[in-house]
Amino acid sequence: FLMQTSEMLQKICVRNLVRKYCRGLTAERKVQLQQKVVTSAVFSGKKEGYLESLSQPFLETRLKENDLNPKVLQLIRGENIKYVTPVVKYDRNGFKARERLLVLTQSSAYVVEMAKIKQKIEYSTLKGISTSNLSDGIVVIHVPEDNKQKGDVILQCEHIFETVTKLCILANKQSLVKVVKGSLRFRVGSGKEGTMVFTVGPEPQIFKDKTGQLTVV
């Protein structure tokens, strides 16, 4: 009986401590924890660098709305901008690296070049989000095959866990995130596909190999 009473009191004590902790959380801290829960569900035990990312708090955004070109702001006016981060975009043909911004609003993702919107992806049409199991920052946003889209979007993000988490939460498509091993296929456009190969090497690099594949080391 004493053992049962002790266990019951321990449970009550823990429950009270948890309740006190939760009540003391700021709104910002609650958002952080909610995002980290999603990151865990998507990446825990699947992608290198996840454990190291646990101690790094996510920022609300990497760039402020005021950092965007006024022409871009005018083009997406009426949409609530949630997150902006610098990215490197790789062309689907030739894989040339280009500096871009990824802008996430409440309803769409935009790939932006200075004052131009290069691609818009409505979350409702999003087909998938792919990353590798290695420590690279590559993410592929898969889009539908229609006249509105040029093909899947290949991006390199410095804060890969943060960016993918923000994207899948805003799109409400956590289940569509895939962490792949070895290689993945992406749509180039006009019914064509390309292949991206992930491998391990002495130093990080991304290049087009002799077979025409994009190789991520």
Side-chain angles (χ1 to χ4, degrees), residues 34-145:
Q34 289 167 348
Q35 291 180 358
K36 287 289 187 175
V37 168
V38 173
T39 309
S40 174
V42 173
F43 292 111
S44 180
K46 300 176 184 176
K47 186 171 179 65
E48 290 182 10
Y50 167 73
L51 291 177
E52 290 78 2
S53 76
L54 290 175
S55 60
Q56 301 170 7
F58 291 159
L59 298 189
E60 183 178 356
T61 183
R62 291 288 162 175
L63 292 173
K64 301 294 184 183
E65 189 171 318
N66 292 338
D67 295 323
L68 294 173
N69 188 288
K71 289 184 178 179
V72 171
L73 289 174
Q74 188 176 11
L75 288 169
I76 60 177
R77 66 184 183 278
E79 293 189 42
N80 191 0
I81 295 174
K82 294 294 188 178
Y83 180 75
V84 184
T85 186
V87 294
V88 175
K89 176 186 173 294
Y90 288 88
D91 290 347
R92 288 165 286 268
N93 292 302
F95 303 123
K96 185 174 181 178
R98 303 181 186 276
E99 292 186 3
R100 297 285 187 262
L101 294 178
L102 178 65
V103 180
L104 304 181
T105 72
Q106 191 65 46
S107 60
S108 302
Y110 292 87
V111 179
V112 173
E113 175 196 6
M114 298 296 288
K116 298 179 182 178
I117 291 176
K118 302 298 289 185
Q119 193 163 355
K120 175 184 178 180
I121 305 135
E122 294 179 1
Y123 298 144
S124 60
T125 67
L126 192 63
K127 292 184 67 177
I129 304 166
S130 297
T131 71
S132 83
N133 66 314
L134 302 179
S135 58
D136 58 85
I138 291 290
V139 56
V140 178
I141 303 174
H142 301 282
V143 298
E145 188 171 352

Side-chain angles (χ1 to χ4, degrees), residues 111-211:
V111 179
V112 173
E113 175 196 6
M114 298 296 288
K116 298 179 182 178
I117 291 176
K118 302 298 289 185
Q119 193 163 355
K120 175 184 178 180
I121 305 135
E122 294 179 1
Y123 298 144
S124 60
T125 67
L126 192 63
K127 292 184 67 177
I129 304 166
S130 297
T131 71
S132 83
N133 66 314
L134 302 179
S135 58
D136 58 85
I138 291 290
V139 56
V140 178
I141 303 174
H142 301 282
V143 298
E145 188 171 352
D146 58 35
N147 295 330
K148 292 182 181 180
Q149 298 294 350
K150 305 170 186 178
D152 294 341
V153 184
I154 305 169
L155 302 175
Q156 184 179 22
C157 312
E158 182 179 356
H159 307 281
I160 184 72
F161 298 103
E162 175 183 280
T163 302
V164 172
T165 299
K166 301 274 190 181
L167 175 57
C168 72
I169 287 176
L170 286 168
N172 194 26
K173 294 193 174 180
Q174 177 184 331
S175 62
L176 291 185
V177 181
K178 292 183 179 179
V179 181
V180 303
K181 294 181 180 180
S183 66
L184 69 82
R185 302 283 289 175
F186 58 89
R187 194 174 67 79
V188 177
S190 303
K192 298 179 181 178
E193 285 192 333
T195 303
M196 188 183 308
V197 178
F198 299 96
T199 185
V200 176
E203 60 182 40
Q205 55 181 321
I206 300 175
F207 62 93
K208 183 179 180 181
D209 66 16
K210 294 179 181 179
T211 65

